[in-house]
Amino acid sequence: MPRLLLSRLLPVLRLATAALILGAPALRAADLTYVVGPCDTGKFFATIQSALNATPAPTTVEVCPGTYPEQLVITKPVTIEALERGSAQGLVVVLPPVGGLISNATDDFGSGVAAQVLVLATRDVTLRNLVIDGTGNHISSADDLVAGVYYEDSSGTVEHVATRYQQKSVNGVGILLEGGGSNPAVTVEDCSIHDFDYVGILTETNASRSELTATIKENVVVLPPPPTGLTLKVFRSGFYFRAGSTVSATDNDINAQADAGITLSGAQGVVSGNTIAGGIPAAYVQADGAISFESNKLVGAGGGMAIGIGAPIAATQIQNNRITNRQKGQGIYFDCHANDGLVNSNTFMDVGTALDDVPAGTSPVGDSFYDVAQQVREGTSC
């Protein structure tokens, strides 16, 4: 090559080399997939965490069918999913390590959390087609939570994930979503959540304003039967929405057994179109919040209350819900709390007392009653 032409090309080559070096993160962000397990051709990683820790950082980690006894910490944007192509189709199960879980985080309220999958202070983390199994967690601390998945001040999506056996002295949570200064948004959809012993999906922050947006849709949640011989010290619930979170919970199916289906504790947003089977109560207002509980189906098991109002409400709306099969119980139990018209237009079918323990002078507003023994009963101590 002539010297003159080479001299002209050298600056261009230097610039291109510098661009490759300086622009490495941008190049990684384009698309870089790592495989965990020996089910695919080429290089693979033995563990999920080793793939996450590799340099350059992956955008996608595809996991071969199998069992992975590890406790994951995710601090960068990534998608972790089961590899489902060709002959590589089957369960990807994440179990606690052989020695059990360790507490690897602290929530906003000072409780230690032993999270099987911890998503920490990052964005755009997707978990897809995984089974998070808490069997053998060996957590001994009485105060630590065991969480299948914990998004801490992080955004992303949990899709087609099954969480199961998050159990430990009634401190087990399937999916824990906690907000923070980045105001993250998390979507949980089409998941199966069961065999936890505290809460299926818990949203929380300790802020006075909302620092979390949670979209929870089309999930199936099954609470376990009450433990034999154990006096419960906490309120077990399928969903538990605390203050500091904005929630959209729609089209979920909850089998609440003898515990609470949904607990509203100061969150804001909309809870709509869900079906709750059983539950005492099926829904419980623990603290007031700007939230609308509307157009849900609450199917009882003969007794107990369908909806319990355990705090004065000035913003919580309960309307257009259908309550059936509580012939030995109550539709809505007010516990002497006035509602100022916020509880209205609900339908009661096959219910003992539709509106129970209401303050004197309370009248139904837009409600419909079918095969109801008593429409309204005033509380004697209100």
Side-chain angles (χ1 to χ4, degrees), residues 105-113 118-122 145 147 149-156 173 175-186 188 201-207 209-214 216 240 242-246:
T106 302
D107 73 5
D108 274 358
F109 300 93
S111 296
V113 181
L118 172 62
V119 183
L120 182 61
T122 187
L145 295 174
V149 176
Y150 181 17
Y151 274 67
E152 184 178 1
D153 196 15
S154 299
S155 65
V173 179
I175 298 176
L176 171 56
L177 308 178
E178 185 174 84
S182 69
N183 294 292
V186 185
V188 180
I201 298 178
L202 171 61
T203 69
E204 65 177 23
T205 76
N206 62 358
R209 61 181 181 85
S210 178
E211 290 187 345
L212 169 70
T213 299
I216 299 169
Y240 196 157
R242 284 179 169 167
S245 57
T246 300

Side-chain angles (χ1 to χ4, degrees), residues 314-331:
T316 303
Q317 300 180 50
I318 301 172
Q319 56 193 8
N320 297 316
N321 300 287
R322 183 176 178 84
I323 299 170
T324 63
N325 192 12
R326 297 274 176 172
Q327 70 270 18
K328 296 180 181 179
Q330 305 87 18

Side-chain angles (χ1 to χ4, degrees), residues 153-177:
D153 196 15
S154 299
S155 65
T157 300
V158 183
E159 179 183 7
H160 292 123
V161 168
T163 65
R164 64 193 189 194
Y165 306 119
Q166 281 73 39
Q167 298 175 344
K168 197 276 301 180
S169 301
V170 201
N171 276 333
V173 179
I175 298 176
L176 171 56
L177 308 178

Side-chain angles (χ1 to χ4, degrees), residues 18 40 45 53 57 62 90 102 138 151 177 181 187-188 198 211-212 240-241 284 329 374 380-381:
D40 201 9
F45 293 82
N53 294 344
E62 294 187 336
I102 61 171
H138 297 310
Y151 274 67
L177 308 178
T187 296
V188 180
Y198 177 31
E211 290 187 345
L212 169 70
Y240 196 157
F241 302 141
Y284 183 67
Q374 186 172 358
T380 57
S381 59

Side-chain angles (χ1 to χ4, degrees), residues 203-230:
T203 69
E204 65 177 23
T205 76
N206 62 358
S208 57
R209 61 181 181 85
S210 178
E211 290 187 345
L212 169 70
T213 299
T215 300
I216 299 169
K217 59 183 180 180
E218 298 182 356
N219 302 285
V220 176
V221 179
V222 180
L223 282 90
T228 302
L230 177 63

Side-chain angles (χ1 to χ4, degrees), residues 219-381:
N219 302 285
V220 176
V221 179
V222 180
L223 282 90
T228 302
L230 177 63
T231 301
L232 296 180
K233 298 179 181 180
V234 297
F235 202 55
R236 302 199 311 177
S237 189
F239 295 160
Y240 196 157
F241 302 141
R242 284 179 169 167
S245 57
T246 300
V247 175
S248 172
T250 58
D251 301 319
N252 300 283
D253 292 319
I254 301 175
N255 185 343
Q257 308 264 7
D259 292 291
I262 297 177
T263 300
L264 307 176
S265 190
Q268 62 188 43
V270 177
V271 178
S272 174
N274 304 285
T275 299
I276 306 173
I280 304 176
Y284 183 67
V285 181
Q286 188 176 59
D288 191 32
I291 197 162
S292 179
F293 186 83
E294 61 181 35
S295 303
N296 301 286
K297 295 180 180 179
L298 285 63
V299 183
M305 70 181 80
I307 298 175
I309 300 176
I313 60 173
T316 303
Q317 300 180 50
I318 301 172
Q319 56 193 8
N320 297 316
N321 300 287
R322 183 176 178 84
I323 299 170
T324 63
N325 192 12
R326 297 274 176 172
Q327 70 270 18
K328 296 180 181 179
Q330 305 87 18
I332 302 177
Y333 185 78
F334 285 80
D335 197 18
C336 291
H337 296 299
N339 72 86
D340 296 323
L342 294 171
V343 181
N344 64 79
S345 305
N346 297 287
T347 298
F348 302 87
M349 170 71 185
D350 194 20
V351 172
T353 301
L355 307 175
D356 197 10
D357 210 33
V358 301
T362 300
S363 299
V365 179
D367 295 317
S368 299
F369 305 94
Y370 305 95
D371 301 322
V372 170
Q374 186 172 358
Q375 294 184 6
V376 180
R377 179 163 59 195
E378 294 182 356
T380 57
S381 59

